[in-house]
Amino acid sequence: MRNHSAVLEFFLLGLSGDAQFQPLLFVLFLAIYLLTLMGNLMLLLVVKIDSHLHTPMYFFLGQLSFLDLCHSSVTVPKLLENLLSEKKSISVEGCLAQVFFVFATGGTESCLLAVMAYDRYVAISSPLLYGQVMHRQLCVGLVWGSWSLAFLDALINILVALSLDFCEAQNIHHFICELPSLYPLSCSDVSASFTTLLCSSFIHFFGNFLLILFSYIRILLTILGISSTSGRSKAFSTCSSHLTAVSFFYGSGLLRYLMPNSGSMQELVFSLQYSIITPMLNPLIYSLKNKEVKAAVRRTLRKYL
């Protein structure tokens, strides 16, 4: 860490600087974090103990809930700490660690959403062969592959970012550490890190988005070939929750990383959406729109309460 000796810490100044609003924001984000924990833990528990949900689709849903717990826990605890602190500081090492884990968990979610799109394609296009195609070993391998690719991508980006020098500027106009927010603070050339981030984002996130898009084009063609209206409706309903989750994640995450870093309110809103709000909403999206999940939750509550 010798390159960062001139600056030992940064100051996260993204949210309101008005001391009167800090307690209100603390209560708001604490409530969101607790809802995120309860919702995702409940979904994990239900998927684990209810035998009706022991299918590939709900296996991936359980992994998404675990991932949302991780992603939210990387950002929200430090945000809550800073809302109660006057200094609002984070060490350079802590900032780079947060950059790594935000990138890794976000990248894993991108891969997992692509895997879930493929799972829906197989379920709709080949329902009789679904259990044979999406067997346990393949599902586990796809999940491990998602985590491995995302962590490798994050590791490459953070290793390149370690060469950045930070000399004087310490104020980050954001509530979390992200690579684009660090570039204005660097007193060295950021082109290598920026190029690495751009290439990895294009290959990783756009690549997964194209896989999702391709899967849904095939799903749409399959659904249009179904003769009965009820069959089409049932096929569409199995995809609605996943499409909503994809829209929330890509709609805010990609826009955040494509926008020039300016510390604007719009930039903060996009970051709040994909890093804090989406992990809270995903359990609601999958439970409110899915009859099997709602039935499993009722069975679980009756059994243990």
Side-chain angles (χ1 to χ4, degrees):
M1 299 302 297
R2 60 178 179 82
N3 289 334
H4 307 287
S5 58
V7 170
L8 299 178
E9 60 185 5
F10 297 124
F11 302 102
L12 296 167
L13 307 176
L15 294 178
S16 174
D18 191 335
Q20 293 181 342
F21 289 103
Q22 300 296 313
L24 294 176
L25 290 174
F26 176 83
V27 172
L28 173 63
F29 287 113
L30 178 61
I32 290 174
Y33 186 52
L34 292 176
L35 287 173
T36 301
L37 294 179
M38 289 188 293
N40 285 289
L41 286 172
M42 172 61 78
L43 207 50
L44 269 173
L45 178 65
V46 168
V47 170
K48 179 70 175 178
I49 67 177
D50 194 294
S51 59
H52 297 85
L53 302 184
H54 290 174
T55 64
M57 174 182 173
Y58 296 108
F59 171 74
F60 293 131
L61 180 56
Q63 296 299 316
L64 182 64
S65 292
F66 175 71
L67 184 58
D68 282 336
L69 286 172
C70 295
H71 191 64
S72 183
S73 297
V74 169
T75 57
V76 181
K78 185 61 181 177
L79 170 61
L80 294 174
E81 178 190 335
N82 284 341
L83 286 172
L84 295 180
S85 170
E86 293 183 5
K87 199 175 181 183
K88 306 184 187 308
S89 63
I90 183 171
S91 66
V92 172
E93 294 85 352
C95 186
L96 291 172
Q98 191 176 62
V99 167
F100 174 81
F101 286 109
V102 166
F103 206 99
T105 53
T108 305
E109 183 154 349
S110 174
C111 290
L112 193 58
L113 289 172
V115 168
M116 294 172 77
Y118 173 71
D119 171 72
R120 291 299 81 212
Y121 163 67
V122 175
I124 291 173
S125 63
S126 306
L128 297 179
L129 299 175
Y130 177 61
Q132 297 178 24
V133 175
M134 300 301 295
H135 52 82
R136 179 72 177 181
Q137 291 84 352
L138 177 62
C139 293
V140 173
L142 289 171
V143 170
W144 275 108
S146 298
W147 281 95
S148 300
L149 284 173
F151 270 75
L152 177 62
D153 196 12
L155 182 62
I156 292 172
N157 274 277
I158 205 67
L159 288 176
V160 177
L162 286 175
S163 65
L164 298 176
D165 294 324
F166 302 100
C167 304
E168 295 181 2
Q170 294 178 276
N171 293 339
I172 298 176
H173 296 284
H174 210 323
F175 62 91
I176 58 174
C177 288
E178 293 178 319
L179 269 182
S181 301
L182 296 182
Y183 293 150
L185 306 184
S186 177
C187 55
S188 60
D189 185 14
V190 300
S191 59
S193 179
F194 177 76
T195 302
T196 304
L197 176 64
L198 191 64
C199 292
S200 66
S201 297
F202 183 81
I203 295 171
H204 194 114
F205 291 95
F206 279 102
N208 286 324
F209 181 75
L210 289 176
L211 289 174
I212 293 171
L213 183 62
F214 179 74
S215 296
Y216 272 102
I217 290 173
R218 299 294 300 270
I219 288 171
L220 181 61
L221 293 174
T222 302
I223 291 175
L224 292 176
I226 299 175
S227 56
S228 67
T229 305
S230 61
R232 289 183 181 181
S233 177
K234 184 178 180 181
F236 272 120
S237 67
T238 63
C239 301
S240 61
S241 298
H242 181 259
L243 276 173
T244 305
V246 168
S247 301
F248 274 119
F249 180 79
Y250 276 96
S252 55
L254 279 182
L255 287 174
R256 163 66 186 101
Y257 277 88
L258 289 175
M259 289 176 64
N261 190 70
S262 61
S264 66
M265 181 56 65
Q266 189 179 24
E267 182 183 314
L268 291 175
V269 168
F270 286 140
S271 291
L272 283 170
Q273 173 66 53
Y274 86 84
S275 64
I276 296 177
I277 306 300
T278 297
M280 178 191 69
L281 292 179
N282 277 342
L284 295 174
I285 292 169
Y286 280 96
S287 60
L288 294 177
K289 288 193 171 188
N290 191 301
K291 294 180 180 179
E292 291 181 340
V293 172
K294 287 191 286 187
V297 170
R298 286 194 294 267
R299 285 193 295 267
T300 304
L301 291 176
R302 284 198 301 265
K303 184 176 180 181
Y304 291 97
L305 295 180

